[in-house]
Coordinates of all heavy atoms in Angstrom, one line a residue:
S237 N -17.0 108.7 29.6 CA -17.5 109.9 28.9 C -18.9 110.2 29.3 O -19.3 111.3 29.5 CB -17.4 109.7 27.4 OG -16.0 109.6 27.0
L238 N -19.8 109.1 29.3 CA -21.2 109.3 29.6 C -21.3 109.8 31.1 O -22.1 110.7 31.4 CB -21.9 108.0 29.4 CG -22.1 107.6 28.0 CD1 -22.6 106.1 27.9 CD2 -23.0 108.5 27.2
A241 N -20.0 113.5 31.5 CA -20.8 114.5 30.8 C -22.2 114.6 31.5 O -23.0 115.5 31.2 CB -21.0 114.1 29.4
A243 N -24.5 112.6 30.9 CA -25.5 112.2 29.9 C -26.5 111.2 30.5 O -26.1 110.3 31.3 CB -24.8 111.5 28.7
A244 N -27.7 111.3 30.1 CA -28.8 110.4 30.6 C -29.7 110.0 29.5 O -30.9 110.2 29.5 CB -29.6 111.1 31.7
P245 N -29.1 109.3 28.5 CA -30.0 108.8 27.4 C -31.0 107.8 28.0 O -30.7 106.9 28.8 CB -29.0 108.1 26.5 CG -27.8 107.8 27.3 CD -27.7 108.8 28.3
P248 N -32.0 103.6 23.3 CA -30.9 103.3 22.4 C -30.7 104.5 21.4 O -29.5 104.8 21.1 CB -31.2 102.0 21.8 CG -32.0 101.3 22.8 CD -32.9 102.4 23.4
G249 N -31.8 105.0 20.9 CA -31.6 106.1 19.9 C -31.0 107.3 20.5 O -30.2 108.0 19.9
E250 N -31.4 107.6 21.8 CA -30.8 108.8 22.5 C -29.3 108.5 22.8 O -28.5 109.4 22.8 CB -31.6 109.1 23.8 CG -32.9 109.7 23.5 CD -33.7 110.1 24.8 OE1 -33.0 110.1 25.8 OE2 -34.9 110.3 24.7
L251 N -29.0 107.2 23.1 CA -27.6 106.8 23.3 C -26.7 107.1 22.1 O -25.6 107.7 22.2 CB -27.5 105.4 23.7 CG -26.1 104.8 23.8 CD1 -25.3 105.4 25.0 CD2 -26.1 103.3 24.0
V252 N -27.2 106.8 20.9 CA -26.5 107.0 19.7 C -26.2 108.5 19.6 O -25.1 108.9 19.3 CB -27.3 106.5 18.4 CG1 -26.6 107.0 17.1 CG2 -27.4 105.0 18.4
T253 N -27.2 109.3 19.8 CA -27.0 110.8 19.7 C -26.0 111.3 20.8 O -25.1 112.1 20.5 CB -28.4 111.5 19.9 OG1 -29.3 111.1 18.9 CG2 -28.2 113.0 19.9
A254 N -26.1 110.8 22.0 CA -25.2 111.2 23.1 C -23.8 110.8 22.7 O -22.9 111.6 22.9 CB -25.6 110.6 24.4
L255 N -23.6 109.6 22.2 CA -22.2 109.2 21.9 C -21.6 110.0 20.8 O -20.4 110.4 20.8 CB -22.2 107.7 21.6 CG -22.4 106.7 22.7 CD1 -22.5 105.3 22.3 CD2 -21.4 106.9 23.8
R256 N -22.4 110.3 19.8 CA -21.9 111.1 18.7 C -21.6 112.5 19.1 O -20.6 113.1 18.7 CB -23.0 111.1 17.5 CG -23.0 109.8 16.8 CD -24.2 109.8 15.8 NE -24.2 108.5 15.0 CZ -25.2 108.1 14.2 NH1 -26.3 108.8 14.2 NH2 -25.1 106.9 13.6
D257 N -22.4 113.0 20.0 CA -22.2 114.4 20.6 C -20.8 114.4 21.4 O -20.2 115.4 21.5 CB -23.3 114.8 21.5 CG -24.6 115.2 20.8 OD1 -24.5 115.4 19.5 OD2 -25.6 115.3 21.4
L258 N -20.5 113.2 21.9 CA -19.2 113.1 22.7 C -18.0 112.8 21.8 O -16.9 112.6 22.3 CB -19.4 112.0 23.8 CG -20.3 112.4 24.9 CD1 -20.7 111.2 25.8 CD2 -19.7 113.5 25.8
G259 N -18.3 112.7 20.5 CA -17.2 112.5 19.6 C -16.9 111.1 19.1 O -15.9 110.9 18.4
Y260 N -17.8 110.2 19.4 CA -17.6 108.8 19.0 C -18.3 108.6 17.6 O -19.3 109.2 17.3 CB -18.2 107.8 20.0 CG -17.5 107.8 21.3 CD1 -17.9 108.6 22.3 CD2 -16.4 107.0 21.5 CE1 -17.2 108.6 23.6 CE2 -15.7 107.0 22.7 CZ -16.1 107.8 23.7 OH -15.4 107.7 24.9
V262 N -20.4 106.2 15.6 CA -21.3 105.1 15.9 C -22.2 104.8 14.7 O -22.7 105.6 14.0 CB -22.3 105.6 17.1 CG1 -23.2 104.4 17.5 CG2 -21.5 106.1 18.3

Side-chain angles (χ1 to χ4, degrees):
S237 296
L238 292 168
E250 290 184 15
L251 173 66
V252 171
T253 300
L255 290 177
R256 288 173 176 165
D257 288 346
L258 289 167
Y260 293 93
V262 184

